[in-house]
Amino acid sequence: MSQSTAPGNDARDPQDPHSHRTVLLRGGDVHSPADPFATAMVVERGHVAWVGSEGAADAFADGVDDVVHLEGALVTPAFTDAHVHTTATGLALTGLDLSGARSLDDALAAVRQHAAARPHDTVLLGHGWDAARWPGGRPPTRAELDEATGGRPLYLSRIDVHSAVATTALLDLVPGITGRAGFRPDAPLTGDAHHGVRAAALAAVTPRQRTEAQRAALRRAASLGIGSVHECAGPEISDEDDFTGLLRLAAEEPGPRVIGYWAEQGQEGVERARQLGALGAAGDLFVDGALGSHTACLHEPYADAAHTGTAHLDSAAVAAHVVACTEAGLQAGFHAIGDAAVTSVVDGMRQAAEKLGLARVRAARHRVEHAEMLTPETIAGFAEFGLTASVQPAFDALWGGEDGMYAQRLGAERARTLNPYAALLRAGVPLAFGSDSPVTPLDPWGTVRAAAFHRTPGHRVSVRAAFTAHTRGGWRAVGRDDAGVLVPGAPADYAVWRTSDLVVQTPDDRVARWSTDPRSGTPGLPDLSPGAELPVCLRTVVGGRTVHVGPDE
């Protein structure tokens, strides 16, 4: 890919919206519903001005400030990751990452090495352990962690971030920790005990460390063609300074857009969300926990535990929050994973609709995060109340299958019902894809692949539908129907990719899974078959401004 500047013009960044330069991209493939055969695009004042063919592009060549020669590269809308914890993502990028540990011994060795390498850290931070994938299935004990750290404070969150292990020195920093719900002397911390220990650990992170972590996370997102992230914050996840600092950083520095949600309940939460600049009192407002930590709330007991998980909000609390948000003109949203938790959300929505009217509830575009254990009845409820399902296909890739964590927790039969994306789309439920990073990594093309090649074949969707959920779907989830697609008038948020031949892939085994026939009139996308090489991001542009240029550029 190369770039030329018209004679007499300076060499300012051609994508900088403050320069008001007009840019022609040509000689590639432009993924646009406006023209399935488009090879060129004009960007002006931060918006798409024209999309069309190479021949027609000649008419623009003399009237633009800059020409980008794509040399066969693919241009798509930038991705939107609809569920991110930005600071935690950055801390995972810069701290101890245990997601690759293959055993308890591996994890403890990594803790020892990390502690030795950071002798001056007040609290050691790590993330990503998953004992369900280790031989023996046992998490580290407190005594083992005390030994590995030399008695220093350490916080290690499980991969789902709904439980953690900690050293004695960190527990000692939390007054009354042994009396909090979710505390067990030598088992992972959950519930209120986990929230208290996490708050103590994060309080040791300096403002400078926090900003560095946020900047690292946003740079990683931009390098992957992500143009927007939805930050899911709240008092049980981070703090107000973290949230407002992130919004300020995103406003001041080139990078992905950050749309903030603040998950605090009721009228007080609504007012706080408004004061903090959040789009809604939504995101991770916990109705339940997570399957891996046995805290997702189920109708029937776990297959490997004699209980049904933890309920944090009932339908009446859901209804009260939806009413408060709707009347304030803000989005409501809930974290709900287990089938009982999802039922509570749908029942609460119904109660709110009975009070406010169905039309008002639907118009507010409330959302549900994760929504893994759905039934035909709750899917119908999502459609009825206009709920957006903000979901993470990488969860299925990581935990699905006959031998995965879902099957361990629920049994194979119940596990096969999880994450039914095809059924949601058939019912008309809007999907917005995300990562829940750092639970799973920022990986947009991998996310699209995970949905298209779901471990349960009946839940698969086409690559095109999955791609739409990860681009336009994220914009629709924040109430914008005019973005996330490359058509005239849309924001110029796009990414340029080096990739193989473009194809049209379907999830249906009864027909050809892919086609390169241009007569279909459907814009092609990269071949995402398992094992195929994923596209490489050459450039990411947000609002017409370049926020990432790959090393090959």
Side-chain angles (χ1 to χ4, degrees):
M1 192 171 72
S2 61
Q3 178 178 304
S4 59
T5 302
N9 288 322
D10 61 44
R12 291 173 294 171
D13 181 353
Q15 311 298 342
D16 187 342
H18 304 295
S19 68
H20 300 308
R21 299 174 73 85
T22 302
V23 181
L24 168 64
L25 297 93
R26 65 184 305 178
D29 290 288
V30 179
H31 186 87
S32 172
D35 183 347
F37 311 110
T39 61
M41 180 172 75
V42 173
V43 172
E44 185 174 25
R45 295 180 181 268
H47 288 77
V48 177
W50 173 85
V51 174
S53 67
E54 188 65 23
D58 289 336
F60 294 93
D62 293 335
V64 300
D65 298 303
D66 300 278
V67 178
V68 175
H69 299 278
L70 295 169
E71 299 174 0
L74 170 67
V75 181
T76 71
F79 287 100
T80 292
D81 192 312
H83 193 117
V84 173
H85 303 287
T86 306
T87 302
T89 297
L91 290 172
L93 290 170
T94 59
L96 175 58
D97 180 4
L98 291 176
S99 60
R102 298 184 178 181
S103 67
L104 175 58
D105 287 343
D106 280 354
L108 291 172
V111 170
R112 290 188 187 94
Q113 184 177 7
H114 184 71
R118 304 185 74 91
H120 303 298
D121 285 7
T122 305
V123 172
L124 299 167
L125 299 172
H127 169 73
W129 62 270
D130 186 1
R133 304 172 68 186
W134 296 344
R138 179 176 70 81
T141 66
R142 196 194 322 168
E144 288 169 332
L145 295 174
D146 287 347
E147 184 277 328
T149 60
R152 296 168 63 190
L154 167 74
Y155 170 83
L156 292 179
S157 53
R158 189 187 180 277
I159 190 169
D160 61 8
V161 201
H162 283 269
S163 60
V165 290
T167 56
T168 302
L170 181 58
L171 296 179
D172 289 343
L173 298 178
V174 186
I177 183 62
T178 59
R180 293 198 181 200
F183 177 85
R184 291 175 290 172
D186 211 13
L189 304 166
T190 62
D192 190 46
H194 175 221
H195 296 157
V197 170
R198 176 167 58 190
L202 294 180
V205 176
T206 67
R208 179 179 177 180
Q209 286 175 303
R210 183 178 64 210
T211 299
E212 288 175 348
Q214 292 171 347
R215 189 176 286 121
L218 294 177
R219 285 177 177 169
R220 173 63 64 89
S223 75
L224 296 169
I226 297 171
S228 299
V229 299
H230 297 180
E231 165 67 14
C232 293
E236 294 184 346
I237 301 166
S238 53
D239 61 36
E240 295 179 17
D241 289 341
D242 181 278
F243 184 67
T244 56
L246 174 63
L247 296 183
R248 184 167 55 251
L249 178 71
E252 293 174 351
E253 298 185 4
R257 304 174 193 264
V258 176
I259 294 93
Y261 287 100
W262 183 258
E264 190 169 353
Q265 188 182 353
Q267 192 60 48
E268 182 178 346
V270 167
E271 292 304 319
R272 188 98 62 219
R274 193 192 300 278
Q275 293 167 5
L276 296 176
L279 188 65
D284 276 330
L285 184 54
F286 296 117
V287 179
D288 68 345
L291 290 165
S293 297
H294 292 100
T295 53
C297 190
L298 314 180
H299 285 305
E300 301 294 333
Y302 284 87
D304 61 350
H307 61 82
T308 58
T310 306
H312 298 299
L313 299 177
D314 60 15
S315 61
V318 169
H321 187 67
V322 171
V323 169
C325 287
T326 305
E327 290 182 333
L330 295 178
Q331 281 182 296
F334 304 90
H335 163 118
I337 287 179
D339 49 5
V342 176
T343 296
S344 292
V345 171
V346 171
D347 288 348
M349 287 287 170
R350 182 167 288 107
Q351 294 170 31
E354 289 171 355
K355 180 173 182 178
L356 299 174
L358 179 60
R360 286 188 70 188
V361 170
R362 287 180 59 87
R365 299 196 189 190
H366 303 307
R367 49 190 284 174
V368 182
E369 310 301 319
H370 315 310
E372 294 188 67
M373 293 185 70
L374 292 153
T375 64
E377 292 75 21
T378 50
I379 290 174
F382 273 48
E384 179 183 1
F385 302 117
L387 294 173
T388 294
S390 171
V391 296
Q392 296 74 40
F395 287 5
D396 174 74
L398 183 61
W399 297 317
E402 296 297 310
D403 300 319
M405 183 272 287
Y406 289 153
Q408 295 174 28
R409 294 290 183 268
L410 303 171
E413 183 176 352
R414 270 198 294 178
R416 282 191 290 269
T417 68
L418 266 63
N419 303 305
Y421 304 137
L424 286 163
L425 284 181
R426 285 194 299 269
V429 176
L431 296 183
F433 282 176
S435 63
D436 198 12
S437 181
V439 175
T440 62
L442 300 167
D443 180 16
W445 285 114
T447 295
V448 174
R449 171 187 279 170
F453 295 91
H454 197 294
R455 289 178 177 269
T456 303
H459 298 333
R460 294 173 179 172
V461 299
S462 69
V463 167
R464 182 185 183 192
F467 178 79
T468 299
H470 215 349
T471 50
R472 197 170 192 178
W475 283 95
R476 287 173 167 169
V478 299
R480 290 281 300 274
D481 294 330
D482 62 335
V485 61
L486 299 180
V487 297
D493 288 22
Y494 61 90
V496 182
W497 307 92
R498 182 175 67 244
T499 187
S500 57
D501 291 341
L502 305 182
V503 299
V504 178
Q505 289 177 295
T506 82
D508 195 335
D509 289 324
R510 294 171 299 178
V511 299
R513 187 173 289 281
W514 58 271
S515 171
T516 58
D517 189 344
R519 292 174 297 178
S520 67
T522 301
L525 286 165
D527 179 5
L528 300 183
S529 300
E533 185 176 350
L534 293 177
V536 174
C537 185
L538 303 176
R539 176 174 295 192
T540 305
V541 176
V542 176
R545 187 176 192 179
T546 299
V547 299
H548 166 76
V549 176
D552 295 340
E553 289 298 292

